[in-house]
Amino acid sequence: MRKISAIMLLLFAASLATAGCAPPASGRVYSRHEARMAWDVRYGEVMAVDEAVIEGRRTALGRIGGGLIGYQAGRTIGDGSGSRVAGAVAGAVAGQAIEERATREDAWQITVELDSSRTIAVVQARDESFQVGERVRVYMRRDGAARIGKI
């Protein structure tokens, strides 16, 4: 039984590590879905750059993986079904919190005044820096998605 617990713990840790490798909400990284989509390109000037955080994902993976580990821990430590259930619940809550924290990203909220005099703000991963007064390209789609890139 200890071998099964160790395997479940290893699988859970590996899945969290993999979840942390998902592509960021970057100005230069595109999902496969976005790769062949047309974007409208506009130009503007950066008015403000503020720190932001893109919340992490909370999927069933963290909840179930944590619940399994908590169940096994409750089974090992306690001797009744109550300790197993309590361990599973505590593990599920902890697993989900760990997954959310592991997939959280530092970001910028970039406010841009477009050449058309419209002002927009875009939040994207903090993978490149922007300066107030800098000229930028703003890539926009009809669904409201936008990203900012350097000229």
Side-chain angles (χ1 to χ4, degrees), residues 90-110:
V93 170
Q96 196 169 38
I98 290 168
E99 179 187 24
E100 194 280 331
R101 182 73 177 126
T103 57
R104 189 178 295 175
E105 289 183 74
D106 290 334
W108 295 121
Q109 176 180 296
I110 307 156

Side-chain angles (χ1 to χ4, degrees), residues 79-94:
D79 59 350
S81 63
S83 60
R84 284 180 256 167
V85 171
V89 169
V93 170

Side-chain angles (χ1 to χ4, degrees), residues 6 33 39 46 53 103 114 125 144:
H33 173 72
W39 295 74
V46 175
V53 174
T103 57
L114 300 173

Side-chain angles (χ1 to χ4, degrees), residues 17-129:
T18 303
C21 296
S26 165
R28 294 186 292 170
V29 177
Y30 293 83
S31 70
R32 288 193 169 281
H33 173 72
E34 294 174 315
R36 294 177 49 156
M37 297 185 104
W39 295 74
D40 289 331
V41 181
R42 299 186 184 154
Y43 294 87
E45 182 178 319
V46 175
M47 303 306 290
V49 179
D50 299 302
E51 293 183 3
V53 174
I54 299 171
E55 70 181 354
R57 290 180 300 281
R58 288 180 174 249
T59 66
L61 177 67
R63 191 172 48 254
I64 292 169
L68 288 171
I69 292 170
Y71 177 85
Q72 288 298 325
R75 204 171 134 211
T76 304
I77 294 169
D79 59 350
S81 63
S83 60
R84 284 180 256 167
V85 171
V89 169
V93 170
Q96 196 169 38
I98 290 168
E99 179 187 24
E100 194 280 331
R101 182 73 177 126
T103 57
R104 189 178 295 175
E105 289 183 74
D106 290 334
W108 295 121
Q109 176 180 296
I110 307 156
T111 304
V112 176
E113 183 176 343
L114 300 173
D115 290 347
S116 65
S117 296
R118 180 177 167 213
T119 302
I120 63 166
V122 176
V123 175
Q124 66 187 39
R126 200 182 297 179
D127 62 340
E128 60 183 328
S129 60

